[in-house]
Amino acid sequence: MKAFQSIRVRLTLWYAAVLAVLLVLFSSAVYGFVYLRLSEQIARRLDDQYAALAQSIRDEPEVEELEELDRIGLTDAFEVRTDGGLLYRSRRWPASDRATTASTGETTTRHMHTELALYRVRRGTIDSDGQHFAITVAVSEREQRAMLGTLAAIFLAALPIGLCVALVGGWWMAARVLAPIAQLTARAREISAEKLSERLPIANPHDELGRLAAVINEMLGRLDSAFGRLRVFTADASHELRTPLTVLCAVGEAALQDGYNANACREAVGSMLEEADRLVSLLDNLLVLTRADADGAVIRREACDLGALASEVAELMAVLADEKQQQLVVDAPAGIIIWADPMLVRQAVLNVLDNAIKFTPVGGHVEVRVGGTATLGAVTVRDSGPGIAPEHRERIFERFYRADSVRASERGAGLGLPIAQWAVTVHGGRVELETEVGMGSAFRLLFPLYEGDKP
Ligand code: ADP
């Protein structure tokens, strides 16, 4: 049964089976057609001969006339009886029947049937000159039957030959059709996670196999870039984790070397906790992004007031703005209801506002405004900071990306904006950025409004 799992075997068998059915149908149709035509031919001959014999008896019902008819061969075989018995029987009358008649003087139906099996017979009676004539005309079917027999033999011989040809041809054709699949299989087997940049060969991009190979190649491309991103992400994450861990170790070692000075120890533990805090928040961010990638983040949507959420976050961050003597203006009217997970909205606003305060110099200006359009609710965080240069605008939403100018002075892992962007887009919203170097930046987070008919 294993052989039937091969497409080549199945294709060949299907091909042979279809051809066999076609051959049988075609042979039967031809045989039936020839049979009918021959049969019609015999019936016509019989009718003609019967009519000629009947006419002759009506004209002159004499034995000499019948002999003459027999001699010129107008009919195949005939027999004429009168009430007194057999009047005339043609020379070509079927042999065994002639013998029987000779012995009994009368036709026995059984014999007639046996011998006349190869004849088609028509009987009838006519009256002429006040006499009653029973006439029988027989037309031989021998030739037609032989012809049909030969035809049947030819068809019967053609069937197995045709089947053999179909099997061999089908096997060869299937091999030709499947050859590119074998090539694809061999090539696909060579492609591993380390060789994802390789692609399958496409012989003809317009046929089914070409399209399949193209689709697989596209998939390989996506896998390749996903693997690439994963590699970069892992490398960046390791790098980011390494820095606070190195600081932790260095502070710990320095404290040990300093001896057991209580103040120095307290200071060391304080900085170690600070670094541990950084580590924890970094790991939290990594976890958020990993879950987002795996579609494993739990999102609990509900109708929430964007103004209230933005005010809450602004209140929380006001301490940081105060520390930098920045003016934090909040204009967040209540009543703009969005359909979102409040935790994620808070996180997005927090990340953007944190950046605004972080990157805006001491004494600067930061504002948080909530507004909206017919379908979207918007939080805009505007600052009077350094702005973002065009070459960085596209890239600041990439993971671990930090613009160099601010990299050295401000500490951050470069995950704040990617998380904010994910938190917005996962709700079907988007992030817009307006910025000019030296003029500050404005990040606008847009969320879909609550339409009132959500579950
Ligand atoms: P992080 O703040 O941890 O560095 P983010 O992903 O939040 O990472 O931001 C990426 C980069 O975008 C920042 O390093 C900074 O260069 C730039 N950036 C973000 N917000 C601002 C802003 N308000 N003003 C100027 N630059 C910004």
Side-chain angles (χ1 to χ4, degrees), residues 355 358-359 383 388 396 401-403 406 412-414 416-418 441 443:
N355 278 348
K358 196 161 65 178
F359 297 119
D383 64 55
I388 300 163
I396 51 172
Y401 187 82
R402 282 163 296 189
V406 282
L417 285 181
S441 316
F443 284 86

Side-chain angles (χ1 to χ4, degrees), residues 298-311:
V298 185
I299 296 155
R300 293 196 182 85
R301 284 183 174 83
E302 58 185 71
C304 43
D305 191 316
L306 190 57
L309 285 175
S311 305

Side-chain angles (χ1 to χ4, degrees), residues 193-221:
E194 286 71 39
K195 288 206 264 174
L196 275 177
S197 57
E198 299 206 0
R199 295 290 176 269
L200 297 177
I202 300 179
N204 177 1
H206 304 296
D207 68 8
E208 287 81 351
L209 286 179
R211 287 201 291 271
L212 174 71
V215 170
I216 294 177
N217 280 346
E218 277 169 26
M219 191 184 74
L220 283 174

